[in-house]
């Protein structure tokens, strides 16, 4: 069964088209109008081995908030759709990723119970045209709409670019682990019989 999703979301603030293939090879085509955010999504795709296409047009003349948050919403919805009934997936994933002086940990559970713990102090308010605080907004939107329990911790980091990059790479790697299918798992990885 193909674990893919293609979604479109149009509001008064953004228009987003997104395609996701969980069983890809890390190929991506990203255009959000926010260069640093594009860079982070490319890294997420590459390190998670997901094929990801994002075409987003938003009110970035205001700021990047709506574009980044709404991309998180649509990616979360696409992830949930591509996973379907979640049968056979490992469910949990954890990754530690260093980027020079920065070290990020992402641990997640595809639980159906959205919850974000974001413990990261980012030194600078902005990287390029990307407001650093939007990292948390993106992750919250993703968590809520994908049904993820998501813990993100920055264990060290002085350079904001390195810190956010380590987080996005760790997110990709943790999601790759959690979405991986295991033939030993019959149904879903839960004694309740559902996720």
């Amino acid at each position: 069964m193909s674990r893919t999703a293609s979604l479109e979301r149009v509001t008064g603030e953004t228009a987003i088209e997104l395609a996701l293939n969980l069983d890809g090879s890390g190929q991506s085509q990203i255009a959000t109008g926010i260069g640093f955010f594009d860079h982070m999504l490319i890294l997420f795709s590459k390190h998670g081995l997901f094929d990801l296409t994002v075409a987003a047009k938003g009110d970035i003349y205001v700021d990047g908030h709506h574009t980044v948050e709404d991309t998180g919403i649509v990616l979360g919805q696409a992830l949930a759709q591509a996973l379907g009934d979640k049968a056979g997936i490992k469910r949990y994933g954890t990754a530690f990723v260093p980027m020079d002086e920065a070290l990020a940990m992402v641990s997640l559970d595809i639980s159906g119970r959205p919850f974000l713990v974001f413990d990261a102090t980012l030194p600078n308010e902005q990287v390029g045209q990307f407001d650093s605080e939007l990292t948390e907004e993106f992750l919250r939107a993703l968590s809520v709409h994908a049904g993820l329990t998501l813990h993100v911790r920055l264990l060290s980091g002085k350079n904001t670019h390195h810190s956010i990059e380590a987080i996005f790479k760790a997110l990709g790697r943790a999601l790759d682990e959690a979405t991986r299918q295991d033939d030993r798992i019959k149904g879903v990885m839960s004694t309740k019989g559902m996720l």
Side-chain angles (χ1 to χ4, degrees):
M1 182 174 128
S2 174
R3 301 197 304 161
T4 62
S6 295
L7 296 174
E8 183 176 0
R9 182 177 193 266
V10 179
T11 72
E13 299 164 339
T14 62
I16 297 170
E17 294 181 23
L18 185 148
L20 174 67
N21 178 2
L22 295 179
D23 301 310
S25 59
Q27 301 300 307
S28 61
Q29 292 183 334
I30 311 294
T32 67
I34 305 168
F36 182 77
F37 186 45
D38 289 357
H39 179 43
M40 294 303 103
L41 292 175
I42 290 166
L43 293 170
F44 163 79
S45 168
K46 184 70 172 181
H47 289 267
L49 296 172
F50 307 124
D51 291 345
L52 179 64
T53 302
V54 179
K57 293 183 180 178
D59 56 356
I60 55 176
Y61 63 89
V62 176
D63 65 13
H65 190 118
H66 298 139
T67 300
V68 172
E69 182 178 32
D70 288 7
T71 300
I73 289 170
V74 180
L75 180 57
Q77 292 171 338
L79 178 59
Q81 183 177 313
L83 285 170
D85 64 5
K86 304 173 190 166
I89 65 165
K90 295 180 75 173
R91 177 178 168 178
Y92 298 98
T94 299
F96 289 82
V97 170
M99 175 67 188
D100 295 346
E101 87 298 341
L103 177 63
M105 184 280 296
V106 172
S107 189
L108 60 88
D109 175 8
I110 304 174
S111 61
R113 296 188 309 277
F115 198 93
L116 173 66
V117 175
F118 184 81
D119 182 9
T121 300
L122 300 170
N124 296 320
E125 292 182 1
Q126 201 165 37
V127 181
Q129 299 301 310
F130 181 84
D131 294 330
S132 300
E133 67 183 7
L134 295 182
T135 305
E136 184 174 3
E137 295 302 322
F138 169 80
L139 293 169
R140 180 174 293 108
L142 175 67
S143 169
V144 167
H145 291 274
L148 305 178
T149 300
L150 178 59
H151 288 252
V152 177
R153 284 191 162 75
L154 184 64
L155 303 174
S156 67
K158 295 180 179 178
N159 181 291
T160 303
H161 185 135
H162 294 169
S163 298
I164 298 172
E165 181 167 330
I167 288 169
F168 272 82
K169 287 177 176 177
L171 176 65
R173 294 179 69 85
L175 262 177
D176 175 48
E177 181 182 352
T179 58
R180 204 169 293 161
Q181 294 179 305
D182 188 324
D183 292 339
R184 297 172 298 173
I185 301 170
K186 307 306 177 190
V188 297
M189 181 59 81
S190 172
T191 56
K192 291 184 290 192
M194 64 179 295
L195 290 172

